[in-house]
Amino acid sequence: MWLFVYGTLRKDQRYHDAYLAGRYRDSKPAFLEGARLDYLKDLAYPVLVLEGQGSVQGEVYEIAEKDLPTLDYLEGLLEKPPLVERRELKVQADHETLSAQLYVIRPERLEALAGAVETIEDGDFVRFISAQEKHEASQAAGKLPY
C-alpha cells in the first residue's frame, strides 16, 4: 500500500528515520491537488486540509499494512478526540495516479486551533521549514553583541 507524507515523515525530516527508514519498498516524489497545508504553530506540526485549489507537495512510500498502527499513533489518530483521520485519496507521482493512505486534520480540530495556524502557501513543508530556520538563524545572528 502507498502512504502519502507531506511533513515530518518526509525524507530528512524529524520523524522519517524513526518511523519510515527501512520499512518501505519504494518511494517517489508526489503531490495532492485540491488541498492546502497548514502549520500548527504551537505544535510545530503541519496538517493537511482538504480544501482549496492548491497542491500539497510530498512523497509516497510503499509500506506494509502492519506499519499503519504505529503511524496512526504518531499522527494523532488515536487521540481522544482524534486530531486527524486517515483517508485513501488519489495522488500524483511520476506521471501516474496512485491511491494512497494519508492523514488529514479533522475540521472541528482545525477550527479549535484557528488562532495558531499559518497556511503554507506553496504547499511544501520542507521549503517552509527551511526558510523558517534560515530566518531564525539570521535574526539570532543579528542579536549577537559583536
Side-chain angles (χ1 to χ4, degrees), residues 14-21 23:
R14 183 178 8 172
Y15 294 125
H16 177 84
D17 288 348
Y19 289 89
L20 285 178
R23 292 186 175 95

Side-chain angles (χ1 to χ4, degrees), residues 38-140:
D38 283 353
Y39 183 68
L40 304 180
K41 296 176 192 177
D42 293 343
L43 300 175
Y45 194 81
V47 292
L48 183 66
V49 182
L50 293 179
E51 294 180 354
Q53 304 298 316
S55 136
V56 173
Q57 304 301 309
E59 300 150 2
V60 287
Y61 291 88
E62 190 175 8
I63 65 167
E65 191 169 346
K66 69 178 180 60
D67 290 322
L68 282 176
T70 302
L71 295 166
D72 288 348
Y73 173 78
L74 171 68
E75 295 291 345
L77 186 63
L78 306 179
E79 292 178 14
K80 300 291 183 209
L83 177 64
V84 299
E85 54 192 28
R86 183 166 27 92
R87 299 232 186 131
E88 184 170 331
L89 294 174
K90 305 284 188 203
V91 298
Q92 301 299 311
D94 281 349
H95 307 291
E96 65 179 315
T97 301
L98 300 173
S99 287
Q101 298 288 315
L102 51 83
Y103 296 93
V104 300
I105 191 159
R106 296 172 59 90
E108 66 274 12
R109 293 295 303 269
L110 185 61
E111 287 173 19
L113 298 165
V117 174
E118 179 178 351
T119 296
I120 300 174
E121 297 297 335
D122 70 355
D124 189 334
F125 174 73
V126 172
R127 193 172 8 240
F128 172 82
I129 207 72
S130 176
Q132 191 176 55
E133 288 169 353
K134 287 178 185 173
H135 177 73
E136 289 171 2
S138 69
Q139 280 194 328

